[in-house]
Amino acid sequence: MLLCAGLLLACSGPHSGSTKTESETTVQRVYRVQLRMTEEKTEAVQARSRATQWWKNRPASERPPIAHTGPAEASAVTIDWKPPFYRVRLGPFATRQQAEAVLQAARSVFPDAFVAPKRITNR
């Protein structure tokens, strides 16, 4: 009987000391502007350098704030590697409108650029 009671307590679900439940988990969407995609790391590094310089030369009024989605990133321009490609991305931005505005300006330098949405799960 004690064994049954122990099993029932162990399987009764979350208790007061547990972490957030599924209903408390929030999903946030952010938007990055993908500037370049390549299989070559050296090309990605060169594109990041060009993009960083381009971004720094933009007037402050044309640089929407970078959304904070976790640990602070050292730069607005990053390289994300997902085999087999290196992706050079700018952002993240909190709204699609911000990303679209940056995209329009970026296309003069990066004609193949596009907006890449991403879901961030906060627990």
Side-chain angles (χ1 to χ4, degrees), residues 57-106:
N57 289 334
R58 307 290 310 153
S61 62
E62 295 179 18
R63 284 186 281 142
I66 302 301
H68 297 286
T69 59
E73 294 181 16
S75 174
V77 182
T78 58
I79 297 175
D80 296 330
W81 186 68
K82 185 176 178 185
F85 296 108
Y86 293 91
R87 293 161 175 83
V88 180
R89 294 180 171 174
L90 178 59
F93 302 103
T95 68
R96 179 175 277 280
Q97 292 78 15
Q98 290 173 328
E100 291 286 346
V102 170
L103 173 65
Q104 293 309 312

Side-chain angles (χ1 to χ4, degrees), residues 3-121:
L3 180 60
C4 288
L7 284 174
L8 286 175
L9 287 175
C11 298
S12 63
H15 55 84
S16 61
S18 69
T19 59
K20 290 185 179 181
T21 64
E22 282 187 39
S23 63
E24 293 172 317
T25 300
T26 59
V27 176
Q28 173 187 6
R29 187 175 290 242
V30 294
Y31 303 87
R32 295 181 187 269
V33 177
Q34 183 161 308
L35 304 170
R36 179 95 162 89
M37 184 169 64
T38 178
E39 291 184 51
E40 300 297 323
K41 185 176 183 177
T42 55
E43 289 178 19
V45 170
Q46 290 171 352
R48 179 184 61 193
S49 217
R50 222 175 53 198
T52 299
Q53 192 62 39
W54 174 82
W55 182 248
K56 287 180 179 178
N57 289 334
R58 307 290 310 153
S61 62
E62 295 179 18
R63 284 186 281 142
I66 302 301
H68 297 286
T69 59
E73 294 181 16
S75 174
V77 182
T78 58
I79 297 175
D80 296 330
W81 186 68
K82 185 176 178 185
F85 296 108
Y86 293 91
R87 293 161 175 83
V88 180
R89 294 180 171 174
L90 178 59
F93 302 103
T95 68
R96 179 175 277 280
Q97 292 78 15
Q98 290 173 328
E100 291 286 346
V102 170
L103 173 65
Q104 293 309 312
R107 281 207 169 136
S108 64
V109 180
F110 300 95
D112 296 329
F114 62 91
V115 173
K118 181 178 182 180
R119 289 184 183 156
I120 307 289
T121 303

